[in-house]
Amino acid sequence: MGTGRGRLPGGAAHGFAYAAIGLYVSSRTDNQIVALIVTALLCGAFYLVGAANITNLVGDTPAEILRAIGTGARFESIERGVIDLRDLIYYLSLTAFFLVLNVVSLDSKRWSQGCKPRSIAAMRL
């Protein structure tokens, strides 16, 4: 796949993961500005944890763990146009994780207001 076409799916998956993080943070606060700032800080932290500048400061084993957790190292290969299935699975898992947290957060708010929460089995994707 060419460099330009290789960036599109990876960039989209990266964006979906950050959007899911933003949705979750937004579900936890009533203030939009706070949600924006916390989302930017959280996404920035995810990016920096896996960045080469940070991983070079620690030993080999912690560096591998940080690269596995962070989005920075994974996005570097996507920038070069290399799509690794592990990177796409990581981004889809991160997206699904934060979307599930979002549903749980919204259900807990609904439950605290006296409404009956939906069960996970009752939800259809």
Side-chain angles (χ1 to χ4, degrees), residues 53-106:
N53 296 340
I54 302 298
T55 58
N56 290 338
L57 298 175
V58 296
D60 290 336
T61 304
E64 288 298 320
I65 293 170
L66 291 176
R67 274 192 218 81
I69 294 171
T71 60
R74 294 178 184 278
F75 197 67
E76 287 173 3
S77 64
I78 291 171
E79 285 177 331
R80 292 189 314 263
V82 177
I83 296 184
D84 190 358
L85 187 59
R86 291 175 293 182
D87 295 339
L88 291 179
I89 290 172
Y90 168 79
Y91 284 123
L92 293 176
S93 299
L94 192 64
T95 301
F97 176 73
F98 277 100
L99 288 177
V100 167
L101 284 180
N102 187 28
V103 168
V104 169
S105 171
L106 293 175

Side-chain angles (χ1 to χ4, degrees), residues 32-45:
Q32 295 173 347
I33 302 300
V34 170
L36 172 70
I37 293 169
V38 171
T39 298
L41 290 174
L42 194 56
C43 291

Side-chain angles (χ1 to χ4, degrees), residues 21-32 35 39 102 109:
I21 291 170
L23 285 172
Y24 169 68
V25 171
S26 180
S27 75
R28 299 301 302 164
T29 181
D30 293 329
N31 190 330
Q32 295 173 347
T39 298
N102 187 28
K109 279 188 175 184

